[in-house]
Amino acid sequence: SIDEDEVFLKVSFSRSDKDQRLSDVAEHYRYMMPVNKLPAGMTTQINNLGQRVPLYIEHGEEVKDCVERFRHVDRVRLLMRWLHDQVDMEEMIHQGIVRMHFPAATYQDLRALNKTWADIMQVPSLPTPADLDNVRNYFGEQIAFFFAWFGTYNKYLFVLAVAASISSIHKHMYHWAGKWVLNAFAVFLVGWVATFNELFKRRSSRCKQVWGMKDWDSQQANTLPDFDPDTAGTNLEKMYRLAATSCVVLYVVVFAGAILGISLVNKNMRDAGDMRLAEWSPIVISVLMKVSSFTWSKFAIKLIRWENHRTEARFNDSLAWTLASVKLFVALFPFADLAFLEYFINQTCKPTLEEAAVSVYRHSGWPAGTNSFGPEPPWENSFAFNITRNDLAFLDRYHHTNKLGSACIAGCYPIECTEEIDNGIPKFLCTTNCWS
């Protein structure tokens, strides 16, 4: 390096297609290559998109003149596989012998890729099969699959955007008509998702066929340095995988317990007239969600390494599932708690509805917009004897009688109400402490 504190070591195969060492390594790893010269009587298959579907065979000395040239990604993949078999790069980095290792870019290939695919002028253009081939030839099939998905998603997102724009007119329609428009859009969205998934599944199968990806994970993929062949398939590996799954379950249970615990403490403090946690609980829960999600993103990688995956694809698949399942739970459970659990968990039960109402509203007073009246809070228990059922009409949808005969007010109780007349009968429309 310029400051002479680092030494760069370049390991490479010759750029010549006649490099015997490259051919030997490809034959050693039984590397699959597309055939460009078919035997007499055989013709190249063409799919419905006009793409050539080549035959793939294992590279060897006797067929090296019949297969296509090694791409940049083929050279990198074979070199990295050979290098990992010779030395433990991760251990060398851990011991400070090597700072990092990476495949070096080829200037000519990189410039050509930038001109045909990554140039800023290409942003308005939809991706083509040729663009996908350029990405695949430089970065490999795994990266190309991402752009295949992303290109398909952008293409069909236009249809969804048009439907969403049309559905936005519900704001200017009568209530019942706007409701039907939103319901129709919801049905369309479900159909769009199912259609998109099915169409991409077909495109994915076509890419696998053209790119020769059958059994790729078991034949072509590099073995991870952390993989222990002596542990693979043993009871010890099964025990590690069971332990990893148990940690996932334990983590979501602890997080759910923390959310429910905050809710319970909030209720106890509120019943005692202390509203501090009620004001700060949204911030506390938000911080807990962020911290839990960040902590899991670091811890999940260690868990997946316990599972002893052989290839990077299997490692990434397991990591994606483990990360996504917990992160989705962390993101959605607090809302599910408010929407479905709070109503039943933090109930206030007393021998009579009047006593339960006094217990709930002792410190805050009756909800705004109701006809109920009473002294300034806080109230004594004896105030319950001065309340009539008409005073508690706003609680009609928020209370029930349990199996012990006690009257219970739901954990989501009214805090503000509006009285409306429906067929001559007064009814209350209320917002609760769970949803404003």
Side-chain angles (χ1 to χ4, degrees), residues 103-160:
T106 304
Y107 178 74
Q108 293 83 359
D109 294 340
L110 190 60
R111 185 173 182 179
L113 183 65
N114 181 73
K115 182 178 180 179
T116 59
W117 177 72
D119 189 81
I120 190 66
M121 301 302 295
Q122 302 294 332
V123 171
S125 305
L126 290 175
T128 64
D131 294 329
L132 202 58
D133 286 337
N134 291 334
V135 175
R136 174 199 169 220
N137 291 338
Y138 191 84
F139 293 106
E141 286 75 11
Q142 289 175 292
I143 302 298
F145 264 114
F146 166 76
F147 285 102
W149 177 88
F150 195 64
T152 306
Y153 176 73
N154 285 333
K155 179 180 178 181
Y156 290 99
L157 192 63
F158 176 77
V159 179
L160 185 61

Coordinates of all heavy atoms in Angstrom, one line a residue, residues 103-160:
P103 N -13.3 -10.6 -4.1 CA -13.0 -10.7 -5.5 C -12.8 -9.3 -6.1 O -13.6 -8.4 -6.0 CB -14.3 -11.4 -6.0 CG -15.3 -11.1 -5.1 CD -14.7 -10.9 -3.7
A104 N -11.7 -9.2 -6.8 CA -11.4 -7.9 -7.4 C -12.2 -7.7 -8.7 O -12.5 -8.6 -9.4 CB -9.9 -7.8 -7.7
A105 N -12.6 -6.4 -8.9 CA -13.4 -6.1 -10.1 C -12.5 -6.1 -11.4 O -11.3 -5.8 -11.3 CB -14.0 -4.8 -10.0
T106 N -13.0 -6.5 -12.5 CA -12.3 -6.4 -13.8 C -12.8 -5.1 -14.5 O -14.0 -4.9 -14.7 CB -12.6 -7.6 -14.7 OG1 -12.3 -8.8 -13.9 CG2 -11.8 -7.5 -16.0
Y107 N -11.8 -4.2 -14.7 CA -12.2 -2.9 -15.2 C -13.0 -2.9 -16.5 O -14.1 -2.2 -16.6 CB -10.9 -2.0 -15.4 CG -11.2 -0.7 -15.9 CD1 -11.8 0.3 -15.1 CD2 -11.0 -0.3 -17.3 CE1 -12.1 1.6 -15.6 CE2 -11.2 0.9 -17.8 CZ -11.8 1.9 -16.9 OH -12.1 3.1 -17.4
Q108 N -12.6 -3.7 -17.5 CA -13.3 -3.8 -18.7 C -14.7 -4.3 -18.6 O -15.7 -3.7 -19.1 CB -12.5 -4.6 -19.7 CG -11.2 -4.1 -20.2 CD -10.1 -4.4 -19.2 OE1 -10.3 -5.0 -18.1 NE2 -8.9 -4.0 -19.5
D109 N -14.9 -5.3 -17.8 CA -16.2 -5.9 -17.6 C -17.1 -4.9 -16.8 O -18.3 -4.8 -17.1 CB -16.1 -7.2 -16.8 CG -15.4 -8.3 -17.6 OD1 -15.4 -8.2 -18.9 OD2 -14.9 -9.3 -17.0
L110 N -16.5 -4.3 -15.8 CA -17.3 -3.4 -15.0 C -17.7 -2.1 -15.8 O -18.8 -1.7 -15.6 CB -16.4 -2.9 -13.8 CG -17.1 -2.1 -12.7 CD1 -18.2 -2.9 -12.1 CD2 -16.1 -1.7 -11.6
R111 N -16.9 -1.7 -16.6 CA -17.2 -0.5 -17.5 C -18.3 -0.9 -18.4 O -19.3 -0.1 -18.7 CB -16.0 0.0 -18.2 CG -16.3 1.3 -19.0 CD -15.0 1.8 -19.6 NE -15.2 3.1 -20.3 CZ -14.3 3.8 -20.9 NH1 -13.1 3.4 -20.9 NH2 -14.6 4.9 -21.6
A112 N -18.2 -2.1 -19.0 CA -19.3 -2.5 -19.9 C -20.6 -2.7 -19.2 O -21.7 -2.3 -19.7 CB -18.9 -3.8 -20.6
L113 N -20.6 -3.2 -18.0 CA -21.8 -3.4 -17.2 C -22.4 -2.0 -16.8 O -23.6 -1.9 -16.9 CB -21.5 -4.2 -15.9 CG -22.7 -4.5 -15.0 CD1 -23.7 -5.5 -15.8 CD2 -22.2 -5.2 -13.7
N114 N -21.6 -1.1 -16.5 CA -22.1 0.2 -16.1 C -22.7 0.9 -17.3 O -23.7 1.6 -17.2 CB -20.9 1.1 -15.6 CG -21.3 2.5 -15.2 OD1 -21.9 2.6 -14.2 ND2 -21.0 3.5 -16.0
K115 N -22.1 0.7 -18.5 CA -22.7 1.4 -19.7 C -24.0 0.8 -20.1 O -24.9 1.5 -20.5 CB -21.7 1.2 -20.8 CG -22.1 1.9 -22.1 CD -21.0 1.8 -23.2 CE -21.5 2.5 -24.5 NZ -20.4 2.4 -25.6
T116 N -24.2 -0.5 -20.0 CA -25.4 -1.2 -20.5 C -26.5 -1.3 -19.5 O -27.6 -1.6 -19.8 CB -25.0 -2.6 -21.1 OG1 -24.5 -3.4 -20.0 CG2 -24.1 -2.5 -22.2
W117 N -26.1 -1.2 -18.2 CA -27.1 -1.6 -17.1 C -27.2 -0.5 -16.0 O -28.2 -0.1 -15.6 CB -26.8 -3.0 -16.6 CG -27.7 -3.4 -15.5 CD1 -29.0 -3.7 -15.6 CD2 -27.4 -3.5 -14.1 NE1 -29.5 -4.1 -14.3 CE2 -28.5 -3.9 -13.4 CE3 -26.2 -3.3 -13.3 CZ2 -28.5 -4.1 -12.0 CZ3 -26.2 -3.5 -12.0 CH2 -27.4 -3.9 -11.3
A118 N -26.0 -0.1 -15.5 CA -26.0 0.7 -14.3 C -25.9 2.2 -14.6 O -25.9 3.0 -13.6 CB -24.8 0.3 -13.4
D119 N -25.9 2.6 -15.8 CA -25.8 4.0 -16.1 C -27.1 4.8 -15.7 O -28.2 4.2 -15.8 CB -25.6 4.2 -17.6 CG -25.3 5.7 -18.0 OD1 -24.1 6.1 -17.9 OD2 -26.2 6.4 -18.4
I120 N -26.9 6.0 -15.3 CA -28.1 6.8 -14.8 C -29.1 7.0 -15.9 O -30.3 7.1 -15.6 CB -27.6 8.2 -14.3 CG1 -28.7 8.9 -13.5 CG2 -27.0 9.0 -15.4 CD1 -29.1 8.2 -12.2
M121 N -28.7 7.0 -17.1 CA -29.7 7.1 -18.2 C -30.6 5.9 -18.4 O -31.6 6.0 -19.1 CB -28.9 7.4 -19.5 CG -28.0 8.6 -19.5 SD -29.0 10.1 -19.1 CE -30.0 10.2 -20.5
Q122 N -30.2 4.8 -17.7 CA -31.0 3.6 -17.9 C -32.1 3.5 -16.8 O -32.9 2.6 -16.8 CB -30.1 2.3 -17.7 CG -29.0 2.2 -18.7 CD -29.5 2.0 -20.1 OE1 -30.5 1.5 -20.3 NE2 -28.7 2.5 -21.1
V123 N -32.2 4.5 -15.9 CA -33.1 4.4 -14.8 C -34.6 4.3 -15.3 O -35.4 3.6 -14.8 CB -33.0 5.6 -13.9 CG1 -34.1 5.7 -12.9 CG2 -31.6 5.5 -13.1
P124 N -35.0 5.2 -16.3 CA -36.4 5.1 -16.8 C -36.7 3.8 -17.6 O -37.9 3.6 -17.8 CB -36.5 6.3 -17.7 CG -35.3 7.2 -17.4 CD -34.3 6.2 -17.0
S125 N -35.7 3.1 -18.0 CA -36.0 1.9 -18.8 C -36.3 0.7 -18.0 O -35.8 0.4 -16.9 CB -34.7 1.6 -19.6 OG -34.3 2.7 -20.4
L126 N -37.3 -0.1 -18.5 CA -37.6 -1.4 -17.9 C -36.5 -2.4 -18.2 O -35.9 -2.4 -19.3 CB -38.9 -1.9 -18.4 CG -40.2 -1.1 -18.0 CD1 -41.4 -1.7 -18.7 CD2 -40.4 -1.2 -16.5
P127 N -36.2 -3.3 -17.2 CA -35.1 -4.3 -17.4 C -35.5 -5.3 -18.5 O -36.7 -5.6 -18.6 CB -35.0 -4.9 -16.0 CG -36.3 -4.7 -15.4 CD -36.8 -3.4 -15.9
T128 N -34.5 -5.7 -19.3 CA -34.7 -6.7 -20.3 C -34.0 -8.0 -20.0 O -33.1 -8.0 -19.1 CB -34.2 -6.1 -21.6 OG1 -32.8 -6.0 -21.5 CG2 -34.8 -4.8 -22.0
P129 N -34.3 -9.1 -20.6 CA -33.6 -10.3 -20.4 C -32.1 -10.2 -20.6 O -31.2 -10.8 -19.9 CB -34.2 -11.3 -21.4 CG -35.6 -10.8 -21.6 CD -35.5 -9.3 -21.5
A130 N -31.7 -9.3 -21.6 CA -30.2 -9.1 -21.8 C -29.6 -8.4 -20.6 O -28.5 -8.7 -20.2 CB -30.0 -8.2 -23.0
D131 N -30.3 -7.4 -19.9 CA -29.8 -6.8 -18.7 C -29.6 -7.8 -17.6 O -28.6 -7.8 -16.9 CB -30.8 -5.7 -18.2 CG -30.9 -4.6 -19.2 OD1 -29.9 -4.3 -19.9 OD2 -31.9 -4.0 -19.3
L132 N -30.5 -8.7 -17.5 CA -30.4 -9.8 -16.5 C -29.2 -10.7 -16.7 O -28.5 -11.1 -15.8 CB -31.7 -10.6 -16.4 CG -32.0 -11.3 -15.1 CD1 -32.1 -10.4 -13.9 CD2 -33.4 -12.0 -15.2
D133 N -29.0 -11.0 -18.0 CA -27.8 -11.8 -18.3 C -26.5 -11.1 -18.0 O -25.6 -11.7 -17.5 CB -27.9 -12.2 -19.8 CG -28.9 -13.2 -20.2 OD1 -29.3 -14.0 -19.2 OD2 -29.4 -13.3 -21.3
N134 N -26.5 -9.8 -18.2 CA -25.3 -9.1 -17.9 C -25.0 -9.1 -16.4 O -23.9 -9.2 -15.9 CB -25.4 -7.6 -18.3 CG -25.4 -7.5 -19.9 OD1 -24.8 -8.3 -20.5 ND2 -26.0 -6.4 -20.4
V135 N -26.1 -8.9 -15.6 CA -25.9 -9.0 -14.1 C -25.5 -10.4 -13.7 O -24.6 -10.6 -12.9 CB -27.2 -8.6 -13.4 CG1 -27.1 -8.8 -11.9 CG2 -27.6 -7.2 -13.8
R136 N -26.1 -11.4 -14.3 CA -25.7 -12.8 -13.9 C -24.3 -13.1 -14.3 O -23.6 -13.8 -13.5 CB -26.7 -13.7 -14.7 CG -26.3 -15.2 -14.5 CD -27.0 -16.0 -15.6 NE -26.4 -17.4 -15.6 CZ -26.2 -18.1 -16.6 NH1 -26.3 -17.6 -17.8 NH2 -25.7 -19.3 -16.5
N137 N -23.8 -12.7 -15.5 CA -22.5 -13.0 -15.9 C -21.4 -12.3 -15.0 O -20.3 -12.8 -15.0 CB -22.3 -12.6 -17.4 CG -23.1 -13.5 -18.3 OD1 -23.5 -14.6 -18.0 ND2 -23.4 -12.9 -19.5
Y138 N -21.8 -11.2 -14.4 CA -20.8 -10.5 -13.6 C -20.9 -10.9 -12.1 O -19.9 -11.2 -11.4 CB -20.9 -9.0 -13.8 CG -19.7 -8.2 -13.2 CD1 -18.6 -8.1 -13.9 CD2 -19.8 -7.7 -11.9 CE1 -17.5 -7.4 -13.3 CE2 -18.7 -7.1 -11.3 CZ -17.6 -6.9 -12.0 OH -16.5 -6.3 -11.5
F139 N -22.2 -10.8 -11.6 CA -22.4 -11.0 -10.1 C -22.8 -12.4 -9.7 O -22.7 -12.8 -8.6 CB -23.5 -10.1 -9.6 CG -23.1 -8.6 -9.6 CD1 -23.6 -7.8 -10.6 CD2 -22.2 -8.1 -8.7 CE1 -23.2 -6.4 -10.6 CE2 -21.8 -6.8 -8.7 CZ -22.3 -5.9 -9.7
G140 N -23.3 -13.2 -10.7 CA -23.7 -14.6 -10.4 C -25.2 -14.7 -10.3 O -26.0 -13.7 -10.3
E141 N -25.7 -16.0 -10.2 CA -27.1 -16.2 -10.3 C -27.9 -15.7 -9.1 O -29.0 -15.3 -9.3 CB -27.3 -17.8 -10.5 CG -27.0 -18.3 -11.8 CD -25.5 -18.4 -12.1 OE1 -24.7 -18.3 -11.1 OE2 -25.1 -18.7 -13.3
Q142 N -27.3 -15.8 -7.9 CA -28.1 -15.4 -6.7 C -28.4 -13.9 -6.8 O -29.6 -13.5 -6.5 CB -27.3 -15.7 -5.5 CG -27.2 -17.2 -5.2 CD -26.3 -17.5 -4.0 OE1 -25.1 -17.3 -4.0 NE2 -26.9 -17.9 -2.9
I143 N -27.5 -13.0 -7.2 CA -27.8 -11.6 -7.3 C -28.7 -11.4 -8.5 O -29.6 -10.5 -8.4 CB -26.5 -10.8 -7.5 CG1 -25.5 -11.0 -6.4 CG2 -26.8 -9.3 -7.7 CD1 -26.0 -10.6 -5.0
A144 N -28.6 -12.1 -9.6 CA -29.4 -12.0 -10.7 C -30.9 -12.3 -10.4 O -31.8 -11.7 -10.9 CB -28.9 -12.8 -11.9
F145 N -31.1 -13.3 -9.5 CA -32.4 -13.7 -9.1 C -33.1 -12.5 -8.4 O -34.3 -12.3 -8.5 CB -32.4 -14.9 -8.2 CG -32.7 -16.2 -9.0 CD1 -31.7 -17.2 -9.1 CD2 -33.9 -16.4 -9.6 CE1 -31.9 -18.3 -9.8 CE2 -34.2 -17.6 -10.3 CZ -33.2 -18.5 -10.4
F146 N -32.3 -11.8 -7.6 CA -32.9 -10.6 -6.9 C -33.4 -9.6 -7.9 O -34.6 -9.1 -7.8 CB -31.9 -10.0 -6.0 CG -32.4 -8.6 -5.5 CD1 -33.3 -8.5 -4.5 CD2 -31.8 -7.5 -6.1 CE1 -33.7 -7.2 -4.1 CE2 -32.2 -6.2 -5.7 CZ -33.2 -6.1 -4.7
F147 N -32.6 -9.3 -8.9 CA -33.0 -8.3 -9.9 C -34.1 -8.9 -10.8 O -34.9 -8.1 -11.3 CB -31.8 -7.9 -10.7 CG -30.9 -6.9 -10.0 CD1 -29.7 -7.3 -9.4 CD2 -31.3 -5.6 -9.8 CE1 -28.9 -6.5 -8.7 CE2 -30.5 -4.7 -9.1 CZ -29.3 -5.2 -8.5
A148 N -34.2 -10.2 -11.0 CA -35.3 -10.7 -11.7 C -36.6 -10.5 -10.9 O -37.6 -10.1 -11.5 CB -35.1 -12.2 -11.9
W149 N -36.6 -10.7 -9.6 CA -37.7 -10.4 -8.8 C -38.1 -9.0 -8.8 O -39.2 -8.6 -9.0 CB -37.5 -10.9 -7.4 CG -38.7 -10.6 -6.5 CD1 -39.7 -11.4 -6.2 CD2 -38.8 -9.4 -5.7 NE1 -40.6 -10.7 -5.3 CE2 -40.0 -9.5 -5.0 CE3 -38.1 -8.3 -5.5 CZ2 -40.5 -8.5 -4.1 CZ3 -38.5 -7.3 -4.7 CH2 -39.7 -7.4 -4.0
F150 N -37.1 -8.1 -8.6 CA -37.3 -6.7 -8.5 C -37.9 -6.1 -9.8 O -38.7 -5.3 -9.8 CB -36.0 -6.0 -8.2 CG -36.2 -4.6 -7.7 CD1 -36.9 -4.3 -6.5 CD2 -35.6 -3.5 -8.4 CE1 -37.0 -3.0 -6.1 CE2 -35.8 -2.2 -8.0 CZ -36.5 -1.9 -6.8
G151 N -37.3 -6.6 -11.0 CA -37.9 -6.2 -12.3 C -39.3 -6.6 -12.5 O -40.1 -5.8 -12.9
T152 N -39.6 -7.8 -12.1 CA -41.0 -8.3 -12.2 C -41.9 -7.5 -11.3 O -43.1 -7.1 -11.7 CB -41.1 -9.8 -11.9 OG1 -40.2 -10.5 -12.7 CG2 -42.5 -10.3 -12.1
Y153 N -41.5 -7.2 -10.1 CA -42.3 -6.4 -9.1 C -42.6 -5.0 -9.6 O -43.7 -4.6 -9.6 CB -41.5 -6.3 -7.8 CG -42.1 -5.5 -6.7 CD1 -43.3 -5.9 -6.1 CD2 -41.6 -4.3 -6.4 CE1 -43.9 -5.2 -5.1 CE2 -42.2 -3.5 -5.4 CZ -43.3 -3.9 -4.8 OH -43.9 -3.1 -3.8
N154 N -41.5 -4.3 -10.2 CA -41.8 -3.0 -10.7 C -42.7 -3.0 -11.9 O -43.5 -2.1 -12.1 CB -40.4 -2.4 -11.1 CG -39.6 -1.9 -10.0 OD1 -40.1 -1.6 -8.9 ND2 -38.3 -1.9 -10.1
K155 N -42.6 -4.0 -12.7 CA -43.5 -4.1 -13.9 C -45.0 -4.2 -13.5 O -45.8 -3.5 -14.0 CB -43.1 -5.3 -14.7 CG -43.9 -5.6 -15.9 CD -43.4 -6.8 -16.7 CE -44.3 -7.0 -17.9 NZ -43.8 -8.2 -18.7
Y156 N -45.3 -5.1 -12.5 CA -46.7 -5.3 -12.1 C -47.1 -4.3 -11.0 O -48.3 -4.2 -10.8 CB -46.9 -6.8 -11.7 CG -46.8 -7.7 -12.8 CD1 -45.6 -8.4 -13.0 CD2 -47.8 -7.9 -13.7 CE1 -45.5 -9.3 -14.1 CE2 -47.7 -8.8 -14.7 CZ -46.5 -9.5 -14.9 OH -46.4 -10.3 -16.0
L157 N -46.2 -3.6 -10.5 CA -46.6 -2.5 -9.5 C -47.3 -1.4 -10.2 O -48.2 -0.8 -9.6 CB -45.3 -2.0 -8.8 CG -45.6 -1.1 -7.6 CD1 -46.3 -1.9 -6.5 CD2 -44.2 -0.5 -7.1
F158 N -47.1 -1.2 -11.5 CA -47.8 -0.2 -12.2 C -49.3 -0.5 -12.2 O -50.1 0.4 -12.1 CB -47.3 -0.1 -13.7 CG -48.0 0.8 -14.6 CD1 -47.8 2.2 -14.5 CD2 -49.0 0.4 -15.5 CE1 -48.5 3.1 -15.3 CE2 -49.7 1.2 -16.3 CZ -49.4 2.6 -16.2
V159 N -49.7 -1.8 -12.4 CA -51.1 -2.1 -12.4 C -51.7 -1.8 -11.0 O -52.8 -1.3 -10.9 CB -51.2 -3.6 -12.7 CG1 -52.7 -4.1 -12.7 CG2 -50.6 -3.9 -14.1
L160 N -51.0 -2.1 -10.0 CA -51.5 -1.9 -8.6 C -51.6 -0.4 -8.4 O -52.6 0.1 -7.7 CB -50.5 -2.5 -7.6 CG -51.0 -2.4 -6.1 CD1 -52.3 -3.1 -5.9 CD2 -49.9 -3.0 -5.2

